[in-house]
Amino acid sequence: MKKLGVIGVGNMGEAIIRGLLEKKVFRPADLIASHPRASRRRTLARTLRIKVVSDNREVVAEAPVILVAVKPQTLDSVLEEIALAFSTNNAGLEGSATAKRRAEGLLRQGSIKSRLFISVVAGVRLAHFEQRLGAGARVVRVMPNAPALVGGGMAAVVRGSRATKADESLALRLFGAVGQTVAIQNESLLDAVTALSGSGPAYVALFLRALADAAVKHGIPPQLAYTMALQTASGTVKMLEELRLTPEKLIRMVASPGGTTEAALSKFSEANFTTIVAQAFEAAAQRSRELGATR
């Protein structure tokens, strides 16, 4: 696979790099990353054994595929920096004379069209990237989620107007290193994806905390309650996957007529649990739409 550059190595960027290295999608020599803080650069270089630099333009100069994983509030300055790097009047880099000459030469050999940009920046539309980077920019947008940090992620991929099917396939392979991936055709669906898999881990954690708290009130020690709640959730997911059960079928398996589970489920029904979940989902999706409207 082509050399990969990563601009912004926070938790998500680092998780993706680790996954790619562990699954041998890339060798350390085929990766270059940037971070503004010197101490972070040293740590990443030492633990991941990859090249880590301070200047984003050096990443763009060396890598034809660039993962953009910066915070939304710093994105525009990064995109402006990249766009200027491809301008004939602004190709230079700060730093050593050797690095400057090398980067200028690489940038002059290519163009913005020769790079693929993969964005994991939350709430920023493809059109914003394409407009800021300039004519011909190839952009793929990805909505990953927190479990990618432990290799259990769920990512949705959508390509921009100039990105190719091959670009989409490459993004799917990259994020397949840290979980499951799916390609979608309509970018507007990412608002629902955000509400489902993006925010979903917090919903699951909230339910587990409530379940454990209820057990504590009935005398089970806190740590034991949490351990049992966590294993119950983990075991349930395993049953659904390995036995290929639908949620409805699993519920019927557990809920005997007149039994304890049926008594509990009736309380969920009385409290309109399904409606509450739907309302929470809509609130998250709406907020995603609002955030995207500003970009």
Side-chain angles (χ1 to χ4, degrees):
M1 190 179 285
K2 300 174 182 178
K3 189 165 186 175
L4 176 70
V6 181
I7 296 178
V9 195
N11 289 334
M12 185 59 68
E14 182 178 355
I16 293 166
I17 291 172
R18 287 186 181 279
L20 293 171
L21 291 174
E22 288 173 2
K23 296 200 173 181
K24 302 188 186 312
V25 179
F26 285 100
R27 300 171 302 167
D30 295 326
L31 289 161
I32 179 172
S34 63
H35 197 279
R37 196 169 69 248
S39 60
R40 176 68 170 159
R41 291 196 300 272
R42 288 192 296 269
T43 299
L44 291 168
R46 184 180 69 254
T47 58
L48 301 177
R49 300 184 182 280
I50 65 172
K51 183 178 180 180
V52 189
V53 299
S54 61
D55 197 313
N56 298 325
R57 291 168 292 182
E58 190 171 350
V59 174
V60 178
E62 290 197 21
V65 181
I66 299 99
L67 175 67
V68 183
V70 299
K71 296 182 185 301
Q73 58 267 33
T74 65
L75 175 66
D76 283 351
S77 63
V78 170
L79 295 182
E80 181 180 9
E81 185 180 32
I82 292 171
L84 285 173
F86 284 95
S87 168
T88 56
N89 295 323
N90 298 278
L93 290 169
E94 297 176 0
S96 71
T98 302
K100 180 177 180 180
R101 285 195 300 272
R102 182 165 181 267
E104 286 176 343
L106 286 168
L107 288 168
R108 279 198 298 269
Q109 290 171 21
S111 70
I112 202 76
K113 296 179 183 179
S114 68
R115 304 298 195 271
L116 169 63
F117 296 91
I118 301 174
S119 167
V120 295
V121 184
V124 181
R125 306 294 187 192
L126 286 162
H128 186 83
F129 266 83
E130 292 170 343
Q131 179 183 14
R132 292 284 177 151
L133 290 172
R138 292 155 47 224
V139 186
V140 173
R141 184 181 170 196
V142 181
M143 179 64 218
N145 67 356
L149 300 178
V150 292
M154 180 71 245
V157 173
V158 59
R159 55 188 167 115
S161 60
R162 303 180 190 97
T164 66
K165 188 69 174 177
D167 294 335
E168 178 188 273
S169 297
L170 193 153
L172 288 169
R173 185 178 177 191
L174 291 181
F175 284 85
V178 290
Q180 295 188 38
T181 60
V182 61
I184 61 175
Q185 304 304 312
N186 189 343
E187 186 180 12
S188 65
L189 289 177
L190 285 186
D191 295 317
V193 169
T194 299
L196 176 59
S197 58
S199 299
Y203 314 156
V204 175
L206 176 65
F207 182 81
L208 288 176
R209 186 182 70 183
L211 191 62
D213 287 348
V216 169
K217 290 180 179 179
H218 284 262
I220 297 179
Q223 187 56 51
L224 178 58
Y226 175 71
T227 298
M228 293 180 70
L230 193 63
Q231 180 57 34
T232 298
S234 175
T236 300
V237 170
K238 191 172 183 179
M239 280 185 69
L240 289 167
E241 291 181 339
E242 295 189 6
L243 300 182
R244 298 183 180 180
L245 299 174
T246 63
E248 292 77 14
K249 187 172 290 187
L250 189 148
I251 290 170
R252 288 197 297 270
M253 286 176 61
V254 178
S256 303
T260 58
T261 307
E262 188 177 77
L265 292 175
S266 68
K267 289 299 179 181
F268 281 126
S269 180
E270 290 173 13
N272 294 316
F273 178 75
T274 302
T275 300
I276 292 170
V277 172
Q279 290 173 343
F281 188 102
E282 174 55 31
Q286 178 58 31
R287 184 54 181 155
S288 178
R289 288 189 286 269
E290 291 169 357
L291 291 171
T294 65
R295 295 281 187 171

